[in-house]
Amino acid sequence: MRSKKITLLILLIASYSIVAQQKITLEEIWTGAFRTKGMDELHALKNTNQYTVLDFDRASRSMQIDLYDFETLEKVTTLINTKDFSELESIDSYTFDSSETKILLATHSSPIFRHSFTATYFVYDTKTKSLHKFTNNAIQEPTFSSDGSKIAYAFENNLYVYDTTSKTNLQITQDGQKNKIINGITDWVYEEEFAFVKAFDWNKTGDKIAYIRFDESEVPEFSMDLYNEGLYPSQYVFKYPKAGEKNATVSLHVYDLKTNTSSKINLGNYTDFYIPRIQWTNDANILSAQVMNRHQNNLDLHFIDASSGKTNIVLNEKDNAYIDITDNLTFLSDTSFIWTSEKDGYNHIYHYDKNGKLLNQVTKGNWEVTAYYGFDEKNKTIYYQSVENGSINRDIYSIHISGKKKNRLTSKTGTNDATFSPNFQLFINTYSSATHAPLYTLNDSKTGKELKTIQSNETLESKLAPYNIAPKTFFTLTTEKGHTLNAWSIKPKDFDASKKYPVLMYQYSGPGSQQVANQWNSSNDYWYYMLAQKGYIVICVDGRGTGFKGAEFKKCTYKELGKYEVEDQIDAAKVIAKYEYVDASRIGIWGWSYGGFMSSNCILKGNDVFKTAIAVAPVTSWRYYDSIYTERYMQTPQENASGYDDNSPINHVNKLKGNYLLVHGTADDNVHVQNTMKMIEALVQANKQFDWAIYPDKNHGIYGGKTRLQLYTKMTNFIINNL
């Protein structure tokens, strides 16, 4: 009888052990088993103290834009439901007019590049409950005029204006042509590196449209074979200026709807320049334009009289390395403006009058402002996000425009992000950390006090409990050269310091980036937890060149991408190798994109440290990458040949000793598969053995169907077999 009880107890313990150590699978990761709940397409309205969210009803398979009250969080009404309109199958995104009674609805969106897409658009009138398709074409970036009476949009490289009253379309540019002239929409390199698509803007009275014209006739073309389903592959050809090559020639224009004429603005004696931002001021006749030289270390802020065309440079920024473009230019009702700058060594908020005279540096300190949320005119208060509570954390702050009365509005350590109510009395805070899934709360803007919970992810946290994973832990690591770097590690739950573990290092390391951040899990994090369950330690180190620790730390890699960042990963690995519980003979590294450039360099330059490396979609020579990104950090190849070549992995293939997996998609419009093909040929000619995988018709993200599952299965097997 006693032996039966013991046997039963053993079975119960074994049963509990199985439950307590439930294993994460790749199938779970890539089918969305650990997806968080959020607030999709959250828009804070400007005229009423309300916000909207795009909701999906699984039962009816319908989508609706729901209106909520900021103070009560109660649903006020449903503005539109797709089930009421047979012609509207889905809502991909939406924008309001200034009166917030008309909504532009996008459906059947079709991606072009990273940010750009075409879609079918409808106008919905919330008063009359009427839905109207104003063009049968798949168009780009439709935008209401200030009074909602007109919509400007782009189609096939030209700009059009639709009049909602007369229901007529007016074509305002005529010379748009694929791979030659683009009006009002950015070219590939502007979209990717200046992160915007809509290169036009309405003035405050809706009678003028400013737009940038791109003449890319002389920009070299890049072609990609698309294998698709047909008997013969097709070819996609587009303009892509690589480092040192010809950029598009840009010009600034203003179209006057009263006279139906377009005028070109004479910006001055610039050659080979960029216009990374345009924006009308609160004066309907004054347009602002940021103009930057090709080296991107000199920026002029122009105020332009749209009637006379006269320009006035109100602000100039210079930097010994480069200037990052932001969307933080904000015009106030008294004609002054808010601007952010790194000119004192850290990104901070500045207040200027309409003539560019500095009124006040609003924020100061050895920390960075990471987001500007807005200005409460009534209380003269600015709201922003910063890393004042540690570079891996984000908090929300308020401060008087004078620089006084600063108040931290968030109390939980981790990553906080805010959406403010129109009157700035309330904000919806999105909080997460490495140990807390995203939590959406309503907070008071004066005190930061949490008033109500809107959305939590306790269900997901409970779901993760049986997996019994050890959470990510943060620490700092100091290299032998004396550089103190942020890091995190994920260890097996049953970690035993007396054992020796293999280590996989992950990094990205691109200029201004950050991977060591106190926020909730990404898909990759679940993969790392899965590897930890298999007996690996995963470590990430942010080396020099990464962001949010000041300009000096970030910009030290200027003109030598891949030198100091690679040194730091190798030096960090040497420190890690000395940990008593690390098997120094089994340290690997992996990365994607810039991270692939880094992991490739590390297995080559650090061939005595790293046993294994995986590089996904890597740059293998900066000579193959685009002009704006590369030259910002490297100048041109003609000016800095050694900077390009000394740290490009393609030139160090003879140093390969360990296990190397190289992965790329053939339809990568960003980091071209050319990089990998050149690397393969160099490795072949150096008689080096390596593994590689090519994904047909997949872009820089390498996804679609079961692609990610197959890729991560391949990488997992490679790590198990080689680390």
Side-chain angles (χ1 to χ4, degrees):
M1 185 73 177
R2 186 177 177 184
S3 63
K4 285 184 178 180
K5 284 184 177 179
I6 291 171
T7 302
L8 180 61
L9 181 62
I10 291 170
L11 287 171
L12 285 170
I13 291 170
S15 171
Y16 174 78
S17 177
I18 291 169
V19 172
Q21 296 178 7
Q22 189 172 331
K23 301 297 184 182
I24 294 175
T25 67
L26 289 169
E27 286 79 8
E28 287 176 307
I29 296 171
W30 296 111
T31 55
F34 306 117
R35 190 175 292 129
T36 59
K37 293 180 180 179
M39 301 176 72
D40 293 338
E41 288 284 326
L42 171 64
H43 290 263
L45 300 189
K46 296 181 175 64
N47 301 321
T48 59
N49 207 38
Q50 297 169 319
Y51 65 90
T52 58
V53 175
L54 183 61
D55 289 321
F56 176 66
D57 187 316
R58 293 189 180 277
S60 64
R61 309 298 297 175
S62 65
M63 303 181 77
Q64 53 272 342
I65 299 174
D66 291 325
L67 181 68
Y68 294 85
D69 183 88
F70 250 107
E71 290 193 28
T72 66
L73 299 180
E74 296 294 325
K75 180 177 169 180
V76 177
T77 187
T78 294
L79 296 178
I80 185 171
N81 193 321
T82 56
K83 70 179 183 181
D84 298 329
F85 298 92
S86 58
E87 65 270 44
L88 187 62
E89 296 177 16
S90 64
I91 300 173
D92 300 335
S93 59
Y94 64 96
T95 55
F96 288 92
D97 73 337
S98 58
S99 70
E100 294 172 339
T101 60
K102 295 175 184 175
I103 313 175
L104 267 170
L105 305 168
T107 186
H108 298 303
S109 298
S110 177
I112 303 173
F113 299 121
R114 187 189 296 266
H115 306 288
S116 57
F117 62 93
T118 60
T120 300
Y121 283 88
F122 292 84
V123 176
Y124 180 69
D125 191 313
T126 60
K127 289 183 176 180
T128 63
K129 309 295 183 186
S130 60
L131 186 71
H132 174 63
K133 184 196 287 188
F134 57 93
T135 173
N136 290 321
N137 297 318
I139 62 173
Q140 289 182 266
E141 302 295 325
T143 306
F144 282 113
S145 61
S146 56
D147 62 359
S149 66
K150 297 178 179 64
I151 300 169
Y153 63 91
F155 173 64
E156 294 184 344
N157 292 14
N158 279 313
L159 282 176
Y160 294 76
V161 172
Y162 173 75
D163 190 306
T164 60
T165 303
S166 64
K167 292 183 169 46
T168 57
N169 281 285
L170 171 68
Q171 184 173 343
I172 67 173
T173 66
Q174 310 295 327
D175 59 350
Q177 188 176 348
K178 182 177 174 59
N179 286 338
K180 287 190 177 180
I181 304 295
I182 315 173
N183 293 289
I185 295 292
T186 53
D187 66 354
W188 185 94
V189 72
Y190 266 64
E191 174 181 339
E192 178 66 26
E193 307 305 353
F194 288 140
F196 75 114
V197 176
K198 184 172 74 74
F200 67 87
D201 195 34
W202 283 101
N203 72 343
K204 297 300 179 183
T205 50
D207 58 0
K208 291 184 175 68
I209 299 173
Y211 65 94
I212 305 173
R213 178 181 183 269
F214 294 79
D215 183 344
E216 52 179 7
S217 304
E218 297 181 30
V219 177
E221 291 180 341
F222 189 83
S223 62
M224 298 188 302
D225 285 332
L226 301 176
Y227 300 95
N228 303 312
E229 300 290 333
L231 188 61
Y232 293 91
S234 59
Q235 194 174 59
Y236 184 75
V237 179
F238 64 104
K239 298 287 188 169
Y240 185 106
K242 292 183 185 275
E245 297 299 309
K246 176 72 175 175
N247 279 325
T249 301
V250 293
S251 53
L252 181 60
H253 303 256
V254 174
Y255 187 87
D256 190 322
L257 274 81
K258 291 180 178 178
T259 60
N260 288 334
T261 58
S262 184
S263 58
K264 180 180 177 181
I265 303 299
N266 181 4
L267 292 168
N269 298 319
Y270 295 102
T271 56
D272 218 354
F273 64 97
Y274 300 115
I275 308 175
R277 294 290 186 272
I278 60 171
Q279 181 182 346
W280 287 94
T281 70
N282 290 326
D283 183 330
N285 199 48
I286 303 297
L287 172 69
S288 77
Q290 297 178 40
V291 181
M292 182 180 270
N293 64 336
R294 183 153 180 167
H295 279 166
Q296 299 172 67
N297 57 14
N298 188 93
L299 184 149
D300 291 330
L301 175 62
H302 289 253
F303 281 4
I304 302 156
D305 185 308
S307 298
S308 66
K310 182 181 178 182
T311 69
N312 179 31
I313 298 174
V314 296
L315 189 67
N316 172 259
E317 290 260 342
K318 287 184 173 68
D319 194 283
N320 292 329
Y322 55 86
I323 297 165
D324 287 316
I325 294 298
T326 73
D327 292 308
N328 295 335
L329 173 61
T330 306
F331 297 104
L332 309 184
S333 60
D334 64 358
T335 70
S336 64
F337 62 92
I338 299 291
W339 180 262
T340 57
S341 171
E342 288 182 312
K343 66 182 181 180
D344 78 344
Y346 294 86
N347 192 51
H348 281 298
I349 298 170
Y350 294 80
H351 183 208
Y352 292 89
D353 73 10
K354 65 177 181 179
N355 299 312
K357 178 185 176 183
L358 178 63
L359 298 173
N360 186 39
Q361 181 177 344
V362 181
T363 61
K364 297 176 184 177
N366 296 339
W367 46 268
E368 305 256 315
V369 170
T370 45
Y372 169 83
Y373 292 119
F375 178 61
D376 178 2
E377 296 264 6
K378 182 179 178 182
N379 296 304
K380 305 297 180 187
T381 300
I382 291 172
Y383 294 93
Y384 66 95
Q385 179 199 62
S386 81
V387 296
E388 192 169 354
N389 188 34
S391 59
I392 68 170
N393 300 312
R394 302 286 187 276
D395 281 288
I396 314 303
Y397 288 83
S398 64
I399 191 170
H400 192 271
I401 198 167
S402 65
K404 299 176 181 178
K405 301 178 182 178
K406 183 168 69 173
N407 187 20
R408 180 180 168 187
L409 299 175
T410 43
S411 56
K412 291 186 175 74
T413 299
T415 299
N416 296 273
D417 196 7
T419 300
F420 282 85
S421 63
N423 58 15
F424 287 100
Q425 291 177 1
L426 303 163
F427 68 94
I428 294 172
N429 187 50
T430 307
Y431 164 77
S432 79
S433 72
T435 54
H436 292 90
L439 172 68
Y440 296 78
T441 58
L442 182 69
N443 295 52
D444 181 270
S445 294
K446 287 186 178 179
T447 64
K449 180 182 177 182
E450 288 186 11
L451 303 175
K452 292 180 183 178
T453 296
I454 305 173
Q455 178 70 268
S456 69
N457 279 280
E458 292 173 349
T459 304
L460 175 59
E461 291 177 345
S462 299
K463 182 178 182 177
L464 285 169
Y467 292 89
N468 202 24
I469 56 179
K472 185 184 294 182
T473 58
F474 296 92
F475 63 102
T476 56
L477 177 153
T478 303
T479 67
E480 288 185 356
K481 295 185 179 74
H483 301 295
T484 300
L485 309 173
N486 291 338
W488 58 249
S489 69
I490 294 174
K491 296 177 181 176
K493 180 67 175 180
D494 58 355
F495 172 76
D496 183 347
S498 66
K499 293 182 178 180
K500 294 284 189 180
Y501 293 88
V503 171
L504 177 68
M505 292 176 65
Y506 163 68
Q507 46 61 64
Y508 178 75
S509 301
S513 65
Q514 184 179 54
Q515 301 305 313
V516 184
N518 192 5
Q519 60 190 16
W520 186 245
N521 303 326
S522 67
S523 297
N524 276 342
D525 288 317
Y526 290 108
W527 184 48
Y528 304 144
Y529 288 125
M530 188 194 85
L531 292 174
Q533 288 180 330
K534 295 179 183 295
Y536 294 87
I537 295 174
V538 184
I539 295 177
C540 179
V541 179
D542 273 347
R544 284 171 291 170
T546 57
F548 312 111
K549 297 178 75 173
E552 184 179 353
F553 186 86
K554 179 175 71 173
K555 295 177 179 178
C556 70
T557 61
Y558 184 56
K559 294 203 288 188
E560 293 187 288
L561 291 187
K563 179 178 180 180
Y564 299 113
E565 310 98 299
V566 171
E567 280 183 15
D568 283 352
Q569 295 301 316
I570 294 172
D571 290 348
K574 289 178 179 177
V575 172
I576 292 164
K578 293 178 181 177
Y579 295 165
E580 291 183 359
Y581 51 82
V582 168
D583 183 344
S585 68
R586 290 191 294 162
I587 298 177
I589 189 167
W590 94 282
W592 196 306
S593 193
Y594 199 104
F597 162 72
M598 289 288 299
S599 61
S600 299
N601 263 329
C602 286
I603 193 75
L604 300 173
K605 292 186 176 184
N607 57 13
D608 57 337
V609 177
F610 294 103
K611 181 187 179 184
T612 298
I614 300 174
V616 183
V619 171
T620 59
S621 170
W622 289 109
R623 291 176 179 271
Y624 303 138
Y625 200 54
D626 76 60
S627 57
I628 293 180
Y629 182 93
T630 311
E631 293 170 16
R632 179 185 303 152
Y633 310 117
M634 296 285 282
Q635 296 189 351
T636 66
Q638 294 88 338
E639 297 167 301
N640 182 27
S642 62
Y644 277 76
D645 298 334
D646 291 352
N647 301 302
S648 287
I650 202 168
N651 295 323
H652 297 276
V653 290
N654 61 311
K655 298 173 184 174
L656 181 64
K657 291 181 182 178
N659 314 295
Y660 182 52
L661 173 60
L662 187 56
V663 178
H664 223 118
T666 65
D668 191 334
D669 63 277
N670 184 358
V671 180
H672 303 147
V673 72
Q674 173 189 24
N675 285 269
T676 283
M677 293 304 183
K678 291 284 190 178
M679 186 74 174
I680 288 170
E681 177 62 12
L683 286 161
V684 168
Q685 295 309 318
N687 194 27
K688 297 294 181 180
Q689 295 301 308
F690 62 100
D691 292 87
W692 55 295
I694 295 295
Y695 287 86
D697 296 341
K698 297 299 182 284
N699 65 15
H700 196 54
I702 312 182
Y703 59 86
K706 293 187 177 181
T707 304
R708 279 287 177 100
L709 176 60
Q710 198 276 349
L711 169 59
Y712 275 78
T713 301
K714 176 178 288 294
M715 294 197 297
T716 302
N717 292 338
F718 187 79
I719 290 165
I720 290 170
N721 293 333
N722 294 291
L723 202 59

